[in-house]
Amino acid sequence: MNLKRYLPILQWAPQYGRSQATSDLVAAVIVTVMLIPQSLAYALLAGLPAQVGLYASILPLVIYAVFGTSRTLSVGPVAVVSLMTAAALAPLADAGSPEYMAGAVLLAVISGLMLTLMGFLRLGFLANFLSHPVISGFISASGIVIAASQLKHVLGVQASGQNLLTIGQSLIRSASDINLPTLAIGAGALLFLVFARKQLKPLLVRFDVSSGIADILTKTAPILAVLVTTLVAWQFQLDQQGVRLVGIVPSGLPDLTLPSLDWELWQQLAVSALLISVVGFVESVSVGQTLAAKRRQRIDPDQELIGLGTANLGAGLSGGMPVTGGFSRSVVNFDAGAETPAAGAYTAIGIALATLFLTPAIAYLPQATLAATIIVAVSSLIDLPALGRTWRYSRPDFGAMLATIVLTLAHSVEAGIIAGVVLSLGLFLYRTSRPHSAVVGRVPGTEHFRNIRRHQVEICPQVAFLRVDESLYFANARFLEETVMDLAACEPELTDFVLVCPAVNLVDASALESLEAINERLQDAGVRLHLSEVKGPVMDRLQRTEFLSHLGGQVFLSTYEAWQVLAGDCELSKGLA
Amino acid sequence: MNLKRYLPILQWAPQYGRSQATSDLVAAVIVTVMLIPQSLAYALLAGLPAQVGLYASILPLVIYAVFGTSRTLSVGPVAVVSLMTAAALAPLADAGSPEYMAGAVLLAVISGLMLTLMGFLRLGFLANFLSHPVISGFISASGIVIAASQLKHVLGVQASGQNLLTIGQSLIRSASDINLPTLAIGAGALLFLVFARKQLKPLLVRFDVSSGIADILTKTAPILAVLVTTLVAWQFQLDQQGVRLVGIVPSGLPDLTLPSLDWELWQQLAVSALLISVVGFVESVSVGQTLAAKRRQRIDPDQELIGLGTANLGAGLSGGMPVTGGFSRSVVNFDAGAETPAAGAYTAIGIALATLFLTPAIAYLPQATLAATIIVAVSSLIDLPALGRTWRYSRPDFGAMLATIVLTLAHSVEAGIIAGVVLSLGLFLYRTSRPHSAVVGRVPGTEHFRNIRRHQVEICPQVAFLRVDESLYFANARFLEETVMDLAACEPELTDFVLVCPAVNLVDASALESLEAINERLQDAGVRLHLSEVKGPVMDRLQRTEFLSHLGGQVFLSTYEAWQVLAGDCELSKGLA
């Protein structure tokens, strides 16, 4: 039982049959064709030699098939994590240098260890603290930074930078160096890919190609662009025209690499590795859960941590780079009919074969083509209208989202995600520290009590019913004291004060002290404090203290009961509608 | 009006009369007598020359009288802030060196700027994020560290350290160097002060001294100890026996000092200054509010920030050290009858006179005496039984308190307070991320609905009523999805699902997406989603979205209304008692 939890492969492998194998194989072929240019491109984006992307697409996929719980997640290099890898390594070494590659390996290993440990500690819930607007803003902004960072390859110029400002400056400075053959290749590939994404499928369908096959053909557009531009570059020896090619890629499977044991380097990379882990995990779990729900399957976030963690360890030990479950590739895998994680293992075999036999051909692949595939891939991640939707619904959410986007664009991906998390938590805490509260009265003829400012209700001048719409804890304890005492001070006729508690889910030690203080001060003023609708768990806890014996009034099960007892003979007046 | 807000002196000075002046003068004399040894002792605790404590007790008190809103707060050097000053400066320079003194000045200036700025930005609410257990644990642990740090003066040995472990090791290493005359002075002063605190008043009362005078005499015990030990040290030239004395203190008022403009030093001290500001502010506001409530006065936390901030600027500019409102001194000031902040200004005059004329006498004051007064003063801050009380009421509060205490004792005051704040906020967030929820049924014969596991209620198998006891926000959005879908999966007869929302004070953008997803998935399963008891502010917000038009069911004002409509013809069964 426990073994099955930690080795999810045992849940599906024993029943694995021929029909599943066929579906998985078909999906694997399609994903492999898609993954070859992607893995090369994302390695490039991360500032690494192209083969590193291939290496990161072999062992991690096999390991995830053993330890992962999603049936259809496609693990490997992804855009955002590659961008974060580049951002983490840029201050440490020159892109492409041996130190830089060692850094990428170490980043994968540290991230792998962190994720695996978090999985054993069942910390999957931590991902919940990234709010949707922050994730959405972060992904959009990262997409923009990634697209901008690829423009230099399309233009054939030298440029650098980790955010929109530095990249933009760098591009402007080198604008006069544009290489026209590169631009022709890059812009051509870009136009073709955009056309394929937007219009190829309807066109094929109009020519009587079945919708399914049209879909698959559309997905092969990137590999087609790769093939055509590689052939062109080879035929016309474009490298002599200044077109930058991928160049000689060592052929053969990756060797086992051991991570650096330089403790200082571990410390320098720790924060980046943590952020890469969390962002990768959130991306992976989001897509995994969405796809699982469609087939009424479930994924286990804690085991996913272990699956992704071990996959990253595998990536590190085979000379790769940090990996996670990619959004678009997983959707393709799902749509292509993958039924089990075996599809991932078959994809790994496909990539391994490519690494063994296709690397000579890759030498002539123009970098501009890879840049074009990245730009088109990330453009679908950018969702700026979400800003408007969020603004209309919730200003605090909008604030957190905007801060994430602005800092990611203008400073760095790490600052963006940290600002988003801190701000969204801070705003939540701020809101709970100034809770909404309402003086309530009885909806006539019912046992229901509502805000006297919103509803036509009955009120009794001698009895105040105050509903506090928040758990009572240290951040709002003082606020509660002030609210109650201000209200009591305004109502000279008052004899009874009922705190209506259906929204109070917690009374912590600080709030308990405040309740004691309120009770005492009301008693001094000749007013009895009562509670109503106190929830079971809160009541259990209060009963362990002396508060209830000090309480001037009583605890009523329902507010209506309190109303009957305290306001039974009251001369009622009407609240405002 | 606005001028009165920022200059609270305008609220009381125009009506200032003779009777108030008399009360304030009496209180000022008593506080001055108490403050002279305290200010010397706390300067020593902070690692500064004794006169710095006096300097910090002149200008800041005058400034606070102008800008502060508490009528009875006694501002000046206090134990915890002095300890934090020592902890902040220890890594930068040797105690007592000119660089160290410049650091103390800068710390006061930065802290003053921070507090004043926070006051103008109305950030007084930030203090609410320090929970009572964290504050209590921090003060207790600081008290222990302070007492331990003073033992070296009582024993007459050299020792150092910023936490209990290092101080303890240091004391043990130097145990053989104990200076017996010092120990005699120190232990004698200690015994006398403990006796004065515990038994002097009852004894005096037994000898027919009136209770009020007995109180005042008791408070003069420290100055008595100072006088007697100084005379003894002078008479017997104890410095030649190895007893460490305060030594020559420059006489005269402090000169104007300008803070260092070394930007790097500002950055190094920024975090410490922030912590000192926050801790000092919280201590000050706590005692200020307690005392104000006793006389039905109020203090304004935002203006208090400005009062304390400008007082610290004054301390910095007159060669002093960080100051705040002290607990015990303020209580004495209050009990002695101070009516306005003018009492503080009179105290400043008293201290100024002492600085002008008494400094020659201070030269022979043994440091052991000052250490004894500190130990006795802080011993009243230590409240370890609070740990037990907190444990019984709330484990998370206990956890935050224990972490604060352990880290303050074993690492540093700064680590302790940071750990306490982070842990208490983290635990609150963790709890809200896994909210309590209850399936509810109708309490027979009423319109009231309670948990089916706790109360004998009626339930209808086709209609589920789920009450979620928490605001819905990003951290629990996924949890909500899981809870609802698990429940729906267990009830095959279900046709309607009512989310009972009296405890939902907020639905943020992430939770809205989850509600949309829940609604869709329930619709797929043939179940309608309804809401009941949605609060006004939450409803206002939902109405700005398309969610309500997608909703499979309806929104009911009360749960009873939902019950009547949905479960009207239902064959009811009983929930468990």
Side-chain angles (χ1 to χ4, degrees), chain A residues 440 447 449 463-468 472 497-505 507 515 528-536 538-539 542 547-548 551 553-566, chain B residues 448 450 467 502:
Chain A
V440 296
E447 300 179 9
F449 291 77
V463 189
F465 288 83
L466 180 74
R467 191 190 72 204
V468 181
L472 303 178
F497 196 107
V498 185
L499 211 55
V500 182
C501 302
V504 176
N505 309 309
V507 174
L515 283 178
R528 290 180 297 172
L529 175 67
H530 308 267
L531 305 177
S532 79
E533 294 191 51
V534 181
K535 290 185 184 161
V538 175
M539 200 62 196
L542 288 180
F547 171 67
L548 294 179
L551 190 65
Q554 354 170 194
V555 180
F556 296 98
L557 185 67
S558 71
T559 308
Y560 183 62
E561 221 179 282
W563 176 266
Q564 284 177 308
V565 172
L566 302 173
Chain B
H448 195 61
R450 293 304 281 246
R467 190 191 72 203

Side-chain angles (χ1 to χ4, degrees), chain B residues 156 179 181-182 237-245:
Chain B
N179 179 276
T182 305
Q237 293 292 315
L238 285 184
D239 49 338
Q240 287 163 25
Q241 313 281 329
V243 174
R244 277 198 287 157
L245 308 178

Side-chain angles (χ1 to χ4, degrees), chain B residues 105-153:
Chain B
V105 162
L106 190 52
L107 215 45
V109 169
I110 302 177
S111 167
L113 289 175
M114 283 177 171
L115 287 165
T116 310
L117 186 67
M118 285 162 77
F120 281 112
L121 296 176
R122 302 187 169 240
L123 297 183
F125 72 89
L126 281 181
N128 297 340
F129 287 98
L130 276 171
S131 77
H132 294 205
V134 168
I135 297 172
S136 149
F138 177 70
I139 300 274
S140 288
S142 302
I144 294 172
V145 174
I146 292 170
S149 75
Q150 297 306 303
L151 279 180
K152 64 177 176 190
H153 294 301

Side-chain angles (χ1 to χ4, degrees), chain B residues 51 54-55 58 249-255 352-357 359-360:
Chain B
Q51 70 270 21
L54 294 172
Y55 296 168
I58 304 173
V249 170
S251 142
L253 294 175
D255 294 326
L353 292 174
T355 311
L356 286 170
F357 304 112
T359 41

Side-chain angles (χ1 to χ4, degrees), chain A residues 132 289 392-393 397 431 447 450 454 469 474 505-507 509-510 513 534-535 540 544-545 557, chain B residues 131-132 392-393 397 431 447 450 454 469 478 505-507 509-510 513 534-535 540 544-545 557:
Chain A
H132 294 204
Q289 272 179 333
R392 278 191 297 281
Y393 183 64
D397 276 320
R431 281 196 277 187
E447 300 179 9
R450 294 305 281 249
R454 286 176 177 264
D469 291 353
F474 56 90
N505 309 309
L506 171 77
V507 174
S510 308
E513 283 181 43
V534 181
K535 290 185 184 161
D540 290 349
R544 273 187 261 147
T545 70
L557 185 67
Chain B
S131 77
H132 294 205
R392 278 192 297 282
Y393 182 64
D397 276 318
R431 280 196 278 187
E447 300 179 8
R450 293 304 281 246
R454 286 178 177 264
D469 290 353
R478 198 166 284 157
N505 309 310
L506 171 76
V507 173
S510 308
E513 283 181 42
V534 181
K535 292 184 182 161
D540 289 349
R544 273 187 262 147
T545 70
L557 184 68

Side-chain angles (χ1 to χ4, degrees), chain B residues 2 92 97 206 234 236 270 309 350 390 457 496 515:
Chain B
N2 227 336
L92 298 182
S97 66
R206 210 181 310 152
W234 172 70
F236 300 102
T390 310
V457 292
D496 292 275
L515 283 179

Side-chain angles (χ1 to χ4, degrees), chain B residues 188-199:
Chain B
L190 207 51
L191 285 175
F192 169 69
L193 290 170
V194 170
F195 160 79
R197 174 169 289 235
K198 304 257 176 204
Q199 285 155 4

Side-chain angles (χ1 to χ4, degrees), chain B residues 36-360:
Chain B
I36 293 173
Q38 277 196 358
S39 60
L40 299 170
Y42 293 149
L44 215 77
L45 168 58
L48 292 160
Q51 70 270 21
V52 174
L54 294 172
Y55 296 168
S57 308
I58 304 173
L59 191 52
L61 279 68
V62 178
I63 294 178
Y64 183 82
V66 176
F67 294 107
T69 63
S70 164
R71 300 280 169 107
T72 48
L73 195 70
S74 172
V75 171
V78 308
V80 173
V81 165
S82 300
L83 176 69
M84 293 178 80
T85 302
L89 298 178
L92 298 182
D94 288 333
S97 66
E99 295 78 36
Y100 193 94
M101 287 172 67
V105 162
L106 190 52
L107 215 45
V109 169
I110 302 177
S111 167
L113 289 175
M114 283 177 171
L115 287 165
T116 310
L117 186 67
M118 285 162 77
F120 281 112
L121 296 176
R122 302 187 169 240
L123 297 183
F125 72 89
L126 281 181
N128 297 340
F129 287 98
L130 276 171
S131 77
H132 294 205
V134 168
I135 297 172
S136 149
F138 177 70
I139 300 274
S140 288
S142 302
I144 294 172
V145 174
I146 292 170
S149 75
Q150 297 306 303
L151 279 180
K152 64 177 176 190
H153 294 301
V154 174
L155 299 172
V157 301
Q158 300 282 349
S160 63
Q162 302 299 332
N163 64 50
L164 210 52
L165 304 179
T166 49
I167 293 171
Q169 284 169 353
S170 186
L171 283 177
I172 289 167
R173 266 201 304 274
S174 56
S176 54
D177 306 336
I178 290 178
N179 179 276
L180 287 181
T182 305
L183 183 58
I185 297 266
L190 207 51
L191 285 175
F192 169 69
L193 290 170
V194 170
F195 160 79
R197 174 169 289 235
K198 304 257 176 204
Q199 285 155 4
L200 187 59
K201 193 183 159 190
L203 197 72
L204 289 170
V205 170
R206 210 181 310 152
F207 281 99
D208 274 343
V209 178
S210 87
S211 170
I213 293 176
D215 243 352
I216 292 174
L217 285 176
T218 308
K219 300 284 190 262
T220 61
I223 201 92
L224 207 65
V226 164
L227 286 176
V228 171
T229 55
T230 303
L231 279 174
V232 169
W234 172 70
Q235 182 66 37
F236 300 102
Q237 293 292 315
L238 285 184
D239 49 338
Q240 287 163 25
Q241 313 281 329
V243 174
R244 277 198 287 157
L245 308 178
V246 168
I248 307 285
V249 170
S251 142
L253 294 175
D255 294 326
L256 180 73
T257 29
L258 288 177
S260 155
L261 294 177
D262 176 354
W263 178 234
E264 211 171 300
L265 196 58
W266 280 66
Q267 286 180 309
Q268 282 175 323
L269 291 177
V271 173
S272 302
L274 182 65
L275 290 173
I276 288 176
S277 303
V278 172
V279 169
F281 175 63
V282 169
E283 177 169 358
S284 199
V285 162
S286 307
V287 58
Q289 271 178 335
T290 309
L291 296 179
K294 288 193 185 181
R295 294 204 189 139
R296 303 197 174 256
Q297 296 164 344
R298 295 199 68 163
I299 68 166
D300 169 3
D302 293 322
Q303 179 61 28
E304 276 305 282
L305 281 166
I306 297 176
L308 293 172
T310 48
N312 269 294
L313 285 173
L317 297 177
S318 57
M321 55 189 282
V323 295
T324 194
F327 194 85
S328 51
R329 252 185 353 253
S330 300
V331 173
V332 169
N333 194 33
F334 181 92
D335 286 343
E339 290 191 26
T340 76
Y346 302 153
T347 304
I349 296 173
I351 300 287
L353 292 174
T355 311
L356 286 170
F357 304 112
L358 291 185
T359 41

